[in-house]
Amino acid sequence: MRVVDAEAVAAALDWPRLVAALRELFACGATVPSRHVHVVQAPGAEPVTSLLMPAWHGPYYGLKAINIAAGNAARGLPGLHAVYLLFDAATGVPLACMDGDELTARRTVATSALAASWLARPDARRLLVVGAGRLARRLPWAYRAVRPIEEVQIWARRPEQARALADEWRGQGLQARAVDDLEAAVRRADIVSCATLSTAPLVHGASLAAGSHLDLIGSFTPEMREADEACFAGARVAVDTDEALRKSGDLIAPVAGGVLDPTAVVTLQHLARGEAGGRQSAAERTVFKSVGMALEDLAAAILVHRSIAPAQPERSSPPEH
């Protein structure tokens, strides 16, 4: 069994290939049982949410264990830690143990980029990133794999974090700057991508421009929200999995309030298979909400495995008689 560290995972998951791998597996489909959710309570500490996420397709079976600790920000630690195990589905033999943090971060933002390939305007050039954590720092690069992003703005609750990340991006060749006025930045953005752990709406529908695309990565529980109900009014809405309608506070509230018709929400599988269309017009507002699913992890893990596995020797031709 190979142990694949974060650096090797990142090297294997370049954005164009990862977006393509996700598109392919969403179209093919995979067996994705319900995730197991456990609340781990250590003495004197805030609870940790632990998820076990299995999936299998073809010759591969994968399992991710992911721990989410909202209190880690105060400790100066990332809020998410994970490990991914990939097995041979026919024999159960372990093939690889991968850094799940890097795999999760990359597949999450690449899934948003995949959604944007159907939902964002083809000429979308101005990206607003809301948040400055592990996911946020990767968003511009993933989006540039599918849209001609030229300008990136970033807002965060801690302005110094936004400024530091904007400086980092500029050093890497992006036209990037931190902003203090979130509402004004939302109004001029072609794509607004939220990657926070907020429990109250940060983006309001009244501020979204016609033709804009809203990407909501952060909330994964009924108590978490990054957008208000007005963001969904009159918008075309897609999700990575229909579980999002039950798990995400961003969707639960507008559905309960009659703002969002759940039967009109499409999944990435619908889009990948051509069973539903993406953006219908340049003026249409679109929203993508992800909560993460094991199919996404499996697509990324298979790509990593195929990238690092030694080439198999060609089988010799059978002798002629």
Side-chain angles (χ1 to χ4, degrees):
M1 177 178 69
R2 286 175 171 256
V3 176
V4 190
D5 64 15
E7 183 178 357
V9 169
L13 298 180
D14 66 87
W15 301 116
R17 287 205 308 154
L18 180 52
V19 171
L22 287 164
R23 186 189 304 269
E24 180 180 353
L25 196 53
F26 270 111
C28 293
T31 301
V32 182
S34 297
R35 68 184 72 184
H36 292 238
V37 181
H38 302 279
V39 177
V40 180
Q41 181 67 71
E46 294 185 40
V48 170
T49 301
S50 186
L51 311 178
L52 301 179
M53 301 173 63
W56 54 90
H57 171 77
Y60 298 108
Y61 161 56
L63 176 67
K64 184 172 74 173
I66 177 170
N67 299 321
I68 303 159
N72 275 5
R75 304 182 181 97
L77 295 172
L80 180 152
H81 292 280
V83 63
Y84 196 90
L85 298 172
L86 186 68
F87 303 89
D88 183 304
T91 65
V93 172
L95 300 174
C97 176
M98 306 179 188
D99 182 277
D101 292 358
E102 186 66 27
L103 185 141
T104 298
R106 286 191 166 250
R107 67 80 153 147
T108 300
V109 298
T111 299
S112 287
L114 174 63
S117 72
W118 289 300
L119 297 171
R121 292 197 325 269
D123 63 347
R125 289 176 168 80
R126 295 189 297 268
L127 170 66
L128 169 63
V129 175
V130 180
R134 185 196 301 268
L135 298 180
R137 71 188 319 107
R138 293 162 172 79
L139 281 165
W141 312 107
Y143 269 109
R144 291 183 77 181
V146 299
R147 287 296 182 266
I149 301 299
E150 296 176 350
E151 175 188 335
V152 181
Q153 294 187 328
I154 179 171
W155 178 93
R157 291 189 188 277
R158 297 182 181 180
E160 67 276 11
Q161 291 183 333
R163 289 193 292 270
L165 190 48
D167 289 344
E168 179 181 318
W169 284 338
R170 284 196 298 273
Q172 296 168 341
L174 281 179
Q175 182 181 327
R177 68 185 181 94
V179 295
D180 297 321
D181 189 336
L182 177 58
E183 181 180 352
V186 169
R187 289 185 182 280
R188 69 183 305 273
D190 298 321
I191 299 173
V192 179
S193 186
C194 298
T196 75
L197 296 176
S198 180
T199 56
L202 298 170
V203 176
H204 300 273
S207 302
L208 290 166
S212 64
H213 173 60
L214 175 61
D215 173 37
L216 302 170
I217 296 176
S219 72
F220 56 89
T221 72
E223 295 74 31
M224 300 172 71
R225 295 186 65 185
E226 296 181 298
D228 71 357
E229 288 92 332
C231 290
F232 300 88
R236 184 161 185 78
V237 179
V239 295
D240 57 346
T241 167
D242 56 14
E243 287 187 10
L245 290 162
R246 304 187 298 275
K247 294 181 179 295
S248 171
D250 278 323
L251 299 176
I252 291 171
V255 169
V259 175
L260 175 63
D261 178 3
T263 66
V265 175
V266 301
T267 67
L268 292 188
Q269 188 168 76
H270 293 141
L271 293 168
R273 292 179 173 178
E275 297 169 352
R279 170 174 290 274
Q280 303 298 302
S281 71
E284 182 180 41
R285 282 199 302 105
T286 57
V287 180
F288 173 63
K289 173 63 207 152
S290 68
V291 293
M293 64 181 302
L295 178 150
E296 298 158 16
D297 298 310
L298 183 62
I302 292 171
L303 182 56
V304 171
H305 175 67
R306 289 176 173 171
S307 298
I308 65 172
Q312 297 297 315
E314 293 184 7
R315 296 180 181 178
S316 59
S317 300
E320 296 182 2
H321 297 284

